[in-house]
Amino acid sequence: MIEDTIVAQATPNGKSGISIVRISGKKSLDIARQIFLRFKDVSNIQPNYMYLGKINLGDVEDKGFCVYFKAPNSFTGEDVVEFQCHGGLVVAQKIIEQVLSCGGRLATAGEFSKRAFLNGKMSLDQAEGVVDTINAETENQLKASNELTNGNLFKLVTSFQEKLTDILSEIEVNLDYPEHDIEYETKESIKNRLQNLLVQVEELLQTEQKGKLINKGISIAIVGKTNVGKSSLLNALLNYEQAIVTDIEGTTRDVVSGSIEYKGFIFNFYDTAGIRETEDKIESIGIEKAKKILENSDIVLLVLDSSRDLTKQDKENLELIKNKKSIVVLNKSDLPAKFVYNGESIKISAKQKINTEELKQKIYDLSLDGLNSGSQIVLTNARHIEVLKQAKQIIVNTIESISDLPLDCSALDIKTIWEKLGEITGNTATEDIIDKIFSKFCLGK
Ligand SMILES: Nc1nc2c(ncn2[C@@H]2O[C@H](COP(=O)(O)OP(=O)(O)OP(=O)(O)O)[C@@H](O)[C@H]2O)c(=O)[nH]1
Ligand SMILES: [Mg+2]
């Protein structure tokens, strides 16, 4: 049972129109009566109504709003009071001091959400969705977090658990009536049902790669020999002059990066040193870096200068990108072409910004190629992915061993899968896991 009443500022510290201070716990209303002058002598304060009045800040007062949310109809499931006061550094701080002097204590990071979870207002994955919503920087990140806060992952995982519960009851029946000797049929039926579950779990896990792109963005290496227009291309894609461009070969030596958002994804571009034979020590290091970036990127743009003949170096570079998701970019298409490239490519002019939008679309299509699965939910949370992978492994092992094991042993395995899945929604998560998750939340949430 949670006894104490906690307080924290729910808005960031700084100059702003308003700040919000949130109190949660048994003493919330008592404390509000002592601080919010209008509540002092009112016996029936209406929940969910916003009252305008004076807030006692010690030696001074401020005018602001106060709302009372009566348990269990509040964010935390407890009595909650929220003050909307003037923003800035002082007022909210003064309210907090008043609350502390009336018997409240400062909330720790994520403590409001933890109470909401412990009081059954939301599941663990829903609470994690709230954090992801706060941290979202792109529309796609927001969409992914919506799937969590709306309870869609919760529903799916719960449906997996229900399937397991059904299997367990089937086993129970068989164990209770062993004289019927239907063990073989039961095992076959359980195997099939576990196979079905496995397919669903795998379908969900297939979204991991897309989730990574949503979370971390798409890393795009711009590579090629010297002077083909790599830095010009970076600048054209970013729409500002990030990298130095000259007609001198070997202008770029270190990696120059920049990001844009395209259709809800972050594109992280890396312009690199032109690849060529060189004695120059600094340039050689730059070229080594370029090759590393090429290796580690999601997409490679290999730039060729179509206004000059294709060289041995270009051909070697084409070899380098063979096993990567890549796009051959024929740059300087504003000038007459000196060669015909037979493979798949896109003609652009970085200098004149011709076809650069089409190139972005091509990058987008190629990044998502093969990643769109039937699942509406996209896994973006590393913890959920890890737990699901572990659950998948136990399902695989259970299917493999079921023919050779007595049914009650398989029942234990199936219970283990159920418990593993419960770690996602929190119904079997240990206190350690719960504490770790909520400690990553921000203060006041
Ligand atoms: N006509 C024309 N010139 C271009 C185009 N793109 C780049 N250039 C020119 O080509 C030269 C080299 O451009 P950069 O962008 O510095 O080439 P780079 O590949 O980064 O070169 P390094 O950093 O030396 O490897 C510059 O003079 C650019 O103005 C283009 O689309 N058309
Ligand atoms: Mg350059």
Side-chain angles (χ1 to χ4, degrees):
M1 194 66 197
I2 303 162
E3 290 297 334
D4 46 1
T5 298
I6 53 172
V7 60
Q9 188 171 333
T11 45
N13 237 336
K15 288 183 184 171
S16 61
I18 57 163
S19 288
I20 294 175
V21 175
R22 183 186 262 172
I23 312 170
S24 179
K26 287 208 173 88
K27 285 195 209 150
S28 295
L29 193 57
D30 266 359
I31 294 174
R33 278 186 207 280
Q34 295 174 62
I35 299 172
F36 196 61
L37 303 178
R38 199 172 155 180
F39 281 0
K40 264 206 164 129
D41 306 314
V42 186
S43 54
N44 63 330
I45 294 159
Q46 286 265 19
N48 310 329
Y49 271 76
M50 207 164 209
Y51 290 90
L52 178 66
K54 285 188 178 149
I55 309 169
N56 173 19
L57 304 177
D59 295 336
V60 279
E61 288 175 348
D62 187 31
K63 206 172 175 187
F65 288 104
C66 187
V67 194
Y68 164 53
F69 300 101
K70 191 173 162 57
N73 300 318
S74 69
F75 176 72
T76 58
E78 305 172 334
D79 268 0
V80 167
V81 167
E82 278 183 19
F83 285 104
Q84 278 194 14
C85 60
H86 287 114
L89 298 172
V90 186
V91 184
Q93 206 44 50
K94 285 282 168 199
I95 295 177
I96 291 172
E97 283 170 18
Q98 290 299 310
V99 176
L100 298 181
S101 71
C102 295
R105 77 153 165 84
L106 275 181
T108 56
E111 201 171 358
F112 291 94
S113 306
K114 186 176 170 184
R115 287 186 175 199
F117 166 68
L118 293 174
N119 291 323
K121 298 294 287 189
M122 57 169 89
S123 61
L124 205 48
D125 54 308
Q126 277 177 311
E128 288 168 306
V130 174
V131 180
D132 290 352
T133 301
I134 292 169
N135 291 333
E137 289 178 357
T138 64
E139 197 181 316
N140 282 337
Q141 288 172 359
L142 188 59
K143 275 186 192 156
S145 69
N146 269 350
E147 292 296 320
L148 298 180
T149 50
N150 291 343
N152 290 345
L153 181 66
F154 173 81
K155 278 183 214 141
L156 187 61
V157 171
T158 306
S159 77
F160 293 168
Q161 285 184 306
E162 279 163 4
K163 285 195 166 119
L164 294 165
T165 312
D166 287 348
I167 297 176
L168 284 171
S169 1
E170 190 176 337
I171 295 179
E172 282 301 321
V173 172
N174 191 274
L175 291 176
D176 288 348
Y177 302 100
E179 65 276 10
H180 288 182
D181 198 21
I182 49 166
E183 190 170 311
Y184 176 77
E185 286 83 0
T186 309
K187 281 184 174 178
E188 282 308 296
S189 140
I190 293 168
K191 232 186 194 172
N192 281 336
R193 290 161 81 167
L194 285 176
Q195 286 285 7
N196 282 339
L197 178 64
L198 184 62
V199 169
Q200 280 192 287
V201 170
E202 279 175 339
E203 189 176 81
L204 191 54
L205 275 170
Q206 270 164 18
T207 65
E208 178 185 0
Q209 193 55 30
K210 187 174 178 184
K212 264 192 195 143
L213 296 184
I214 289 175
N215 255 353
K216 298 199 173 111
I218 301 164
S219 61
I220 303 146
I222 306 176
V223 300
K225 70 176 184 200
T226 52
N227 225 33
V228 290
K230 298 180 296 300
S231 303
S232 306
L233 177 57
L234 174 77
N235 293 346
L237 291 165
L238 297 179
N239 227 357
Y240 60 87
E241 302 302 302
Q242 173 82 328
I244 299 170
V245 169
T246 75
D247 57 0
I248 303 162
E249 292 194 23
T251 298
T252 307
R253 289 166 166 234
D254 218 332
V255 179
V256 185
S257 60
S259 303
I260 56 164
E261 186 180 336
Y262 186 78
K263 297 193 174 173
F265 284 90
I266 302 281
F267 282 6
N268 297 310
F269 294 108
Y270 299 92
D271 171 31
T272 61
I275 302 172
R276 65 168 174 177
E277 296 286 334
T278 177
E279 298 290 306
D280 187 302
K281 199 172 166 190
I282 302 171
E283 201 182 344
S284 301
I285 297 172
I287 293 169
E288 279 317 304
K289 267 195 181 183
K291 288 180 181 167
K292 271 211 184 94
I293 294 272
L294 182 155
E295 209 45 58
N296 297 328
S297 59
D298 298 311
I299 300 279
V300 182
L301 305 182
L302 176 69
V303 186
L304 303 175
D305 179 348
S306 64
S307 71
R308 287 169 187 250
D309 288 328
L310 208 61
T311 64
K312 185 167 155 265
Q313 184 66 64
D314 289 319
K315 287 174 189 159
E316 282 174 21
N317 292 346
L318 281 163
E319 278 299 306
L320 280 181
I321 61 160
K322 246 175 145 180
N323 299 320
K324 296 285 303 184
K325 268 189 170 183
S326 54
I327 300 170
V328 173
V329 179
L330 303 176
N331 190 31
K332 309 197 188 181
S333 70
D334 51 308
L335 301 174
K338 276 283 175 54
F339 65 88
V340 177
Y341 184 76
N342 287 324
E344 165 96 16
S345 65
I346 177 168
K347 284 183 189 158
I348 66 147
S349 167
K351 197 171 181 175
Q352 315 268 358
K353 288 197 184 157
I354 299 169
N355 253 358
T356 45
E357 284 307 305
E358 285 76 1
L359 176 58
K360 286 178 192 170
Q361 181 62 41
K362 238 179 157 46
I363 295 170
Y364 176 90
D365 292 341
L366 187 61
S367 308
L368 293 181
D369 188 30
L371 298 187
N372 283 323
S373 70
S375 169
Q376 188 192 334
I377 299 166
V378 178
L379 293 175
T380 48
N381 183 300
R383 190 184 75 85
H384 301 165
I385 294 166
E386 190 47 43
V387 173
L388 267 175
K389 281 185 178 165
Q390 290 171 7
K392 180 190 153 181
Q393 196 49 53
I394 313 171
I395 299 172
V396 170
N397 295 346
T398 310
I399 293 172
E400 270 173 15
S401 63
I402 197 160
S403 313
D404 305 326
L405 285 180
L407 264 180
D408 48 354
C409 288
S410 296
L412 282 180
D413 290 341
I414 290 163
K415 273 186 196 132
T416 313
I417 306 168
W418 192 96
E419 281 164 11
K420 188 42 82 184
L421 289 170
E423 286 180 22
I424 294 178
T425 58
N427 61 11
T428 59
T430 62
E431 213 165 300
D432 270 4
I433 295 177
I434 292 166
D435 285 346
K436 210 168 139 195
I437 290 169
F438 286 104
S439 67
K440 288 189 205 141
F441 283 39
C442 42
L443 216 64
K445 189 64 230 168

